[in-house]
Amino acid sequence: MDRLTPRGPPGHLPQGEASVCWRLTVRVLEARGLGWADMLSKADPYVVLQLPTVPGIKFKTKTVTNSSHPVWNETFSFLIQTLVKNVLELSIYDEDSVTEDDLCFKFLYDISEVPPGKLLRKTFSLRPQGQEELDVEFLMETTSDRPENLITNNVLVARELSCLDVCVENTKSTAMDSNQDNLELELVLKGSYEDTQRSTLGTASAFRFHYMAAQETELSGHLRSSKSNGWNSDNSAGHLTVPLRPSAMGKEMTIDVPATDAPGVRLQLKAEGCPKELAVRLGFDLCAEEKAFLSRRKQVVARALKKALQLDRDLQEDEVPIVGIMATGGGARAMTSLYGHLLALKKLGLLDCVTYFSGISGATWTMAQLYGDPEWSQTNLEGPIRHTREHLAKSKLEAFSPERLTSYRQELEWRAEQGLPTTFVDLWALVLESMLHSQVMDQKLSEQRAALERGQNPLPLYLSLNVKENNLETLDFKEWVEFSPYEVGFLKYGAFVPAELFGSEFFMGQLMKRLPESRICFLEGIWSNVFSLNLLDAWYDLTSSSEAWKQQIKDKIGHLGRKEDAPATSKASSWLEDLWLQPGTALAQAFKGFLTGRPLYQHTSNFLQGLQPHQDYCNQKNFSTWADSQLDSTPGQLTPQEPRLCLVDAAYFLNTSSPSMLRPGRRLDLILSLDYNLSSPFETLQQTEVYCRGRGLPFPGVEPSPQDQGQPKECYLFSDPTCPDAPVLLHFPLVNASFKDHSAPGVQRSPAELPAGQVDLTGATSPYTLFNMTYKEEDFDCLLQLSDYNIQNSQDAILQALRTVLKRQAPGDGLPGAQP
């Protein structure tokens, strides 16, 4: 992070320096060619001016009635910080006394184009689309106010905050206390973190507001009778307005509240600076905790590589290659297959060669389960595999029992009481936890640090997407959000918070309100909420009546329960899933919208709130690497302006966790790509290559032959010798190639063993469909054994890839040789 101190004219601040604020004066002159509002009359236009970087301030001109050529000649001013990207929004509205005012036109103007000290006249036009024009004058002048101390990573800027303390005093006798108990004091400070605070006058003693120190705003107050019919009642009394200026910092003010019902009530005001240290880390480099982990993990990897490759000497730290596992999603199929892949790596002594372990969607179910044990990779995996096998084979009806429904509601109500937003995805998280574990798992993401203390396990990385809630599809706007036991943050903005603070409330990079850290099941609900669509759409229909929702679901369960004695000859592994999807049932109707349905998102407090875009943010390589939306050039619509995040499963865009693997600072040498797609074993990888090349990220070419496309093998190596920064990629499709004929690598199946190799991955009756959450035990075992075999059968390819990347790390002839 770079701290900035004063100097310099606007727009030319050297890095490491700070800036005073400047006075921007805007004069709205006139408009032409506005046309007719309807068939009978011309428009009644007015202009609204707003700068997102000056929160809480919105100016409005007078309305000129019945005019296509309105003249306003009105002047407004903003106090702006030129280190941030100031884009003025000029909106022309048509006033309507009956319906909501219509937005006619909106112009965006980058204030950095205004030369200091010179009057600039500009005409905004919609030509060639139309004849509408708007004339505006701009003037930028310096101020005498003290400079701001700013913190920036050249993409986001954290500005100074002030804390306004307001104490309520009563100088009269306590005889008025009974009257005061019926009065409510409302204080409003637009643009502040708190915005509005209310309290009964008899109990109100102090308020605190956090707002930008360089902000020109005002504190407004209202004293109203609590017995009136609402805050807008005509019985309100005691209105006051107190201008707040940056120059008033540290000065005390006393304001009498003008209320006849409460004589002697006054407010003591004092604004002081807030602590300068941020709770949000602004920076694109790895956090200190991850760097320390890397040093510890390299010692473990060095020993494992020496043994696996039979090296004749120990590896130095800078010779140790970085290897990562990159697992795709795929529901219970991904969860089961990932266990098999890890089991094989463990048997081969190669699991300790891995430094990073990333996954999305269903793969995160395995990861979250494993990291509940700080020693998971140092012990056998029989325990978690047995646990998963047992719970996948169970009927899922238990997850919808009246007792479970009650417990879900109680926990969601508790979360709401704590101030945590709740959505259907949180309900899905609890249902998922019940399905996978049959009990509450009291684990948190930050607690996974215990699995990293000695470098004994790879560092787990989980991925999600932040999207726009209403007006844009996921493909049009998405931002990668990375989760690790150390911190959670945005790759695009270079902004991270400690894992235990994710979900708490922030403003301008400072922690405002610490909320309880969510159990990891609620994060699994985020990481894998693509699977919640069918379940939660059904629940939406079933819970339309808050009083009857339990009974409706209980009735549905009762109907399903009558089918529990389904014939054992049923070919489907999960008869429950088939019954729910029978045509004509209520749930089938609810599921119909799945393929065309909108993403379900999880709401959480936005820890970027208040932070502002740097003047040159668009030209920063770290930002532009992950900028793939048209809105990235519109700072007023970027995520720091949103009050909350809307998080969805990363598989809504790409079924890959590659962004975490390719983040600058990690620079992986070898990636083990574990792909759990069935229909197209190279599609996700090819999509990832296209995406990475478009972002300027080094990635090898993925060009399988037509034969491999039709009959894929267990392992493929992709590399780019012309690009040393591109990782070597070992790709493992989920296929049944040689396993059907071999019980172990090199061991041919006997005729009696051949049926055990017939694992149905893609047939019409395959038990491994994406949304099947119930496996027969034999189906689980087959998929586990297949995945185990595919890795073991690729042992030579893995060892050769490790030798290749190790040779890259050792300069010249420094590669350790194999022992004779």
Side-chain angles (χ1 to χ4, degrees), residues 23 35 258 308 373 391 454 507 532 573 798:
R23 174 73 59 189
D373 177 6
H391 287 83
R454 306 187 317 279
F507 183 64
S532 68
S573 173
I798 299 174

Side-chain angles (χ1 to χ4, degrees), residues 63 68 100 151 217 222 248 289 328 402 415 603 646:
T63 299
S68 61
E100 185 176 353
I151 300 175
T217 185
H222 306 272
E289 295 85 351
T328 70
R415 286 174 62 82
H603 284 154
C646 293

Side-chain angles (χ1 to χ4, degrees), residues 210-228:
H210 297 81
Y211 65 103
M212 281 195 330
Q215 183 177 351
E216 288 185 327
T217 185
E218 62 183 25
L219 176 72
S220 62
H222 306 272
L223 196 59
R224 295 170 171 167
S225 172
S226 60
K227 293 183 177 180
S228 63

Side-chain angles (χ1 to χ4, degrees), residues 267-295:
L267 305 181
Q268 293 263 3
L269 284 68
K270 186 176 183 180
E272 295 184 311
C274 290
K276 302 299 189 295
E277 294 299 324
L278 301 184
V280 175
R281 183 176 73 87
L282 294 181
F284 290 89
D285 57 338
L286 304 181
C287 66
E289 295 85 351
E290 182 173 337
K291 292 177 181 178
F293 161 80
L294 285 175
S295 183

Side-chain angles (χ1 to χ4, degrees), residues 437-458:
H437 305 293
S438 298
Q439 61 180 340
V440 172
M441 306 296 288
D442 191 16
Q443 300 173 11
K444 300 179 176 65
L445 180 61
S446 64
E447 294 172 350
Q448 293 185 1
R449 293 171 189 164
L452 310 173
E453 288 177 347
R454 306 187 317 279
Q456 69 268 37
N457 298 295

Side-chain angles (χ1 to χ4, degrees), residues 311-555:
L311 304 179
D312 58 10
R313 68 168 175 85
D314 294 336
L315 293 173
Q316 301 300 311
E317 185 171 313
D318 60 353
E319 295 177 319
V320 178
I322 304 296
V323 180
I325 289 174
M326 185 173 74
T328 70
R333 179 179 68 236
M335 176 175 62
T336 306
S337 300
L338 182 52
Y339 274 120
H341 285 147
L342 296 174
L343 183 62
L345 291 172
K346 176 69 177 176
K347 292 176 181 177
L348 297 176
L350 299 177
L351 191 52
D352 279 346
C353 298
V354 176
T355 298
Y356 288 104
F357 183 4
S358 73
I360 66 167
S361 211
T364 65
W365 303 346
T366 296
M367 297 170 64
Q369 166 73 8
L370 289 175
Y371 281 89
D373 177 6
E375 306 298 328
W376 72 267
S377 70
Q378 304 307 306
T379 58
N380 64 59
L381 299 178
E382 292 179 3
I385 290 175
R386 184 169 57 250
H387 175 92
T388 301
R389 181 179 188 264
E390 174 187 347
H391 287 83
L392 271 185
K394 283 185 176 179
S395 168
K396 300 304 179 286
L397 289 177
E398 183 185 357
F400 301 96
S401 68
E403 294 77 17
R404 288 292 168 85
L405 298 179
T406 299
S407 69
Y408 302 156
R409 169 164 281 190
Q410 289 173 344
E411 181 153 9
L412 293 179
E413 288 175 347
W414 178 85
R415 286 174 62 82
E417 290 171 358
Q418 299 299 311
L420 295 165
T422 57
T423 66
F424 278 127
V425 171
D426 299 301
L427 175 60
W428 155 249
L430 294 171
V431 173
L432 177 65
E433 179 183 55
S434 179
M435 289 179 173
L436 297 181
H437 305 293
S438 298
Q439 61 180 340
V440 172
M441 306 296 288
D442 191 16
Q443 300 173 11
K444 300 179 176 65
L445 180 61
S446 64
E447 294 172 350
Q448 293 185 1
R449 293 171 189 164
L452 310 173
E453 288 177 347
R454 306 187 317 279
Q456 69 268 37
N457 298 295
L459 175 64
L461 299 171
Y462 312 88
L463 206 60
S464 179
L465 286 177
N466 180 58
V467 298
K468 288 290 184 182
E469 180 173 348
N470 294 317
N471 57 341
L472 286 175
E473 296 294 332
T474 307
L475 292 178
D476 296 324
F477 183 88
K478 65 274 179 189
E479 299 173 328
W480 300 105
V481 181
E482 180 183 277
F483 296 74
S484 86
Y486 296 128
E487 57 182 12
V488 179
F490 283 84
L491 303 187
K492 184 166 78 176
Y493 299 110
F496 301 85
V497 294
E500 62 270 25
L501 296 183
F502 176 71
S504 293
E505 297 181 8
F506 294 79
F507 183 64
M508 199 62 76
Q510 297 197 26
L511 180 64
M512 295 288 109
K513 183 179 181 182
R514 181 163 186 165
L515 299 177
E517 182 181 1
S518 293
R519 294 192 295 111
I520 200 165
C521 81
F522 290 102
L523 300 184
E524 289 182 90
I526 296 173
W527 302 330
S528 63
N529 64 19
V530 68
F531 302 103
S532 68
L533 275 172
N534 51 6
L535 171 71
L536 297 180
D537 280 349
W539 275 51
Y540 179 80
D541 287 346
L542 292 172
T543 59
S544 57
S545 169
S546 60
E547 296 297 327
W549 72 292
K550 288 184 181 180
Q551 187 59 45
Q552 288 177 306
I553 295 176
K554 285 168 65 177
D555 291 344

